[in-house]
């Protein structure tokens, strides 16, 4: 069956990347519909060499034959329109955080928990970018050695904040500090504050990594803490991940497990300074792992350095990989 697909939020940073990745992966759609807010309606976007006119998203937008809708237009838009789309038989893959922690809605990374798409009831949630790259790297190790505890420290690109973050960095680098995306200048700075602070002193971003990891692994015994930091990098999130396993491991085994795992590229050759670098990895879809070394301060401890493009694997490509898993299930 040829698929009819919709992109909601088609003019945003992730929306435009949806269109690029659909084309790159030659996703088998017959018809593509592109939606955005009233102010963006009328613009044209391209996919597979064809032009599409952006329509304003309304409650009737899904009164046509649409099989899958990719949403990336903010939590409020998803909260309002995803259930309407689902009620018309559309399967929504939602990139917002609106439904991620809803127990009745699967939270999916295709390399990690693909079978969870089976119990979707019309909405599938795409995890937070910083969570996606982490669980791709950790899944094979969790399977092999059973993770007991995770310490996440992230160094997150400004494109995670959309065009405002990118502009704050670019202007800041010219000495013109704008404060449109962050409470402090981002140029030459590290800001330990992504999203809002919660009662427990953590930020929402930190709690997303903690709670989403447990849901994706379906393992609520995992002990996890996180510190998420915005750094003056345009694309790709970098993460230092410290792990403690229940079981012992040999380092060359660990490297082998990672090298043979889906979606991972190991870059770890210290003699010639080879390790994952955000600037090289922008535009790629894999998760890059390096600095693989024992944490000898604890029993069965390991340190990793994990880098991925936060707009591609962290959002658009992961959502489209979920859509690819859905294609065979559509009559
Ligand atoms: C960020 N992960 O980087 C969050 C949302 N994209 O800002």
């Amino acid at each position: 069956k040829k698929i009819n697909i919709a992109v909601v939020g088609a003019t945003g940073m992730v929306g435009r990347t949806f269109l690029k990745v659909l084309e790159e992966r030659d996703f088998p759609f017959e018809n593509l519909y592109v939606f955005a807010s009233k102010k963006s309606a009328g613009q044209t976007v391209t996919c597979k060499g064809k032009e599409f006119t952006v329509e304003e998203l309304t409650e009737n937008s899904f009164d046509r034959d649409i099989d899958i809708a990719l949403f990336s237009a903010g939590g409020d838009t998803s909260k309002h329109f995803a259930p309407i789309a689902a009620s018309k038989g559309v399967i929504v893959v939602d990139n917002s955080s609106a439904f991620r922690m809803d127990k009745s809605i699967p939270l999916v990374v295709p390399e990690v928990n693909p079978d969870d798409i089976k119990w979707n009831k019309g909405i599938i949630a795409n995890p937070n970018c910083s969570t996606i790259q982490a669980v791709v790297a950790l899944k094979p190790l969790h399977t092999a050695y059973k993770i007991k505890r995770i310490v996440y420290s992230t160094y997150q690109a400004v494109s995670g904040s959309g065009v405002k973050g990118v502009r704050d960095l670019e202007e800041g680098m010219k000495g013109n500090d704008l404060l449109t995306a962050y409470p402090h200048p981002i140029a030459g700075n590290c800001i330990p504050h992504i999203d809002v602070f919660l009662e427990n002193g953590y930020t929402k971003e930190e709690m997303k990594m903690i709670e989403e990891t447990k849901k994706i692994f379906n393992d609520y015994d995992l002990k996890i803490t996180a510190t998420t930091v915005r750094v003056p990098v345009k694309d790709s999130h970098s993460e230092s991940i410290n792990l403690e396993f229940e079981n012992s491991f040999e380092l060359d085994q660990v490297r082998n497990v990672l090298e043979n795992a889906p979606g991972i590229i190991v870059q770890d050759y210290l003699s010639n300074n080879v390790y994952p670098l955000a600037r090289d990895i922008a535009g790629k879809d894999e998760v890059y792992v390096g600095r693989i070394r024992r944490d000898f301060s604890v029993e069965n401890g390991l340190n990793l350095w994990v880098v991925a493009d936060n707009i591609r694997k962290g959002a658009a490509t992961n959502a489209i990989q979920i859509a690819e898993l859905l294609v065979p299930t559509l009559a």
Side-chain angles (χ1 to χ4, degrees):
K1 173 181 186 308
K2 276 276 188 185
I3 309 292
N4 294 334
I5 194 162
V7 169
V8 175
T11 56
M13 194 176 281
V14 173
R16 289 182 185 281
T17 310
F18 277 145
L19 298 170
K20 189 159 179 256
V21 174
L22 285 170
E23 178 173 317
E24 283 176 12
R25 298 174 74 95
D26 193 21
F27 187 88
F29 65 76
E30 180 159 14
N31 294 299
L32 166 68
Y33 303 103
V34 289
F35 299 103
S37 62
K38 193 180 184 67
K39 72 176 174 25
S40 303
Q43 288 182 32
T44 54
V45 292
T46 55
C47 187
K48 293 190 184 179
K50 275 177 68 183
E51 273 203 347
F52 297 84
T53 304
V54 177
E55 297 178 60
E56 181 191 354
L57 180 68
T58 69
E59 305 209 344
N60 309 316
S61 295
F62 303 99
D63 294 344
R64 64 187 88 171
D65 180 14
I66 293 174
D67 299 290
I68 298 171
L70 304 172
F71 272 61
S72 192
D76 293 343
T77 300
S78 290
K79 277 196 190 104
H80 182 73
F81 290 98
I84 293 172
S87 72
K88 314 253 173 153
V90 176
I91 302 181
V92 173
V93 183
D94 178 30
N95 186 47
S96 86
S97 57
F99 304 105
R100 288 180 188 151
M101 299 322 291
D102 182 324
K103 290 199 179 329
S104 70
I105 292 181
L107 181 66
V108 175
V109 176
E111 294 89 342
V112 180
N113 60 328
D115 292 348
D116 284 351
I117 67 161
K118 289 185 183 130
W119 47 273
N120 88 76
K121 293 175 189 58
I123 298 176
I124 298 169
N126 207 40
N128 193 32
C129 39
S130 47
T131 307
I132 289 173
Q133 66 186 75
V135 296
V136 169
L138 300 188
K139 171 67 179 174
L141 300 175
H142 192 33
T143 303
Y145 307 108
K146 186 124 180 43
I147 297 172
K148 195 160 72 174
R149 181 169 185 262
I150 304 171
V151 181
Y152 287 135
S153 304
T154 73
Y155 310 79
Q156 299 186 213
V158 296
S159 54
S161 313
V163 286
K164 283 185 182 172
V166 173
R167 191 159 168 271
D168 276 11
L169 176 59
E170 288 174 345
E171 287 304 307
M173 303 279 275
K174 296 181 225 159
N176 174 21
D177 283 332
L178 308 177
L179 297 179
T180 57
Y182 311 113
H184 305 286
I186 184 60
N189 231 344
C190 289
I191 304 175
H193 176 188
I194 298 179
D195 207 322
V196 296
F197 282 113
L198 303 169
E199 285 298 301
N200 65 2
Y202 280 67
T203 58
K204 232 179 179 178
E205 184 79 357
E206 287 155 355
M207 292 314 295
K208 282 178 185 175
M209 286 197 80
I210 293 167
E211 289 164 0
E212 290 177 23
T213 298
K214 292 177 181 176
K215 180 171 175 181
I216 292 164
F217 285 146
N218 190 29
D219 183 346
Y220 293 85
D221 298 331
L222 280 170
K223 295 181 175 57
I224 310 176
T225 189
T227 303
T228 60
V229 180
R230 189 73 67 191
V231 295
V233 166
K234 181 172 174 298
D235 289 309
S236 305
H237 289 345
S238 304
E239 300 180 351
S240 168
I241 302 180
N242 174 268
L243 299 168
E244 220 179 313
F245 298 108
E246 300 281 359
N247 306 321
S248 62
F249 62 84
E250 294 301 322
L251 214 44
D252 53 358
Q253 256 181 15
V254 164
R255 185 185 308 276
N256 193 266
V257 164
L258 288 167
E259 280 168 348
N260 291 295
I264 294 175
I265 292 179
V266 171
Q267 285 183 332
D268 192 21
Y269 310 100
L270 303 189
S271 48
N272 40 14
N273 300 335
V274 171
Y275 29 71
L277 292 169
R279 215 166 74 169
D280 301 347
I281 289 163
K284 305 268 193 309
D285 286 327
E286 292 78 15
V287 172
Y288 291 74
V289 182
R291 299 297 322 279
I292 304 164
R293 65 200 190 284
R294 188 177 292 279
D295 168 3
F296 41 68
S297 69
V298 291
E299 195 183 0
N300 305 323
L302 183 76
N303 289 321
L304 301 174
W305 179 248
V306 178
V307 182
D309 181 312
N310 55 298
I311 301 294
R312 289 184 65 108
K313 182 55 187 172
T317 306
N318 195 73
I320 290 167
Q321 287 169 323
I322 292 170
E324 287 169 349
L325 289 177
L326 291 169
V327 168
T329 70
L330 299 170

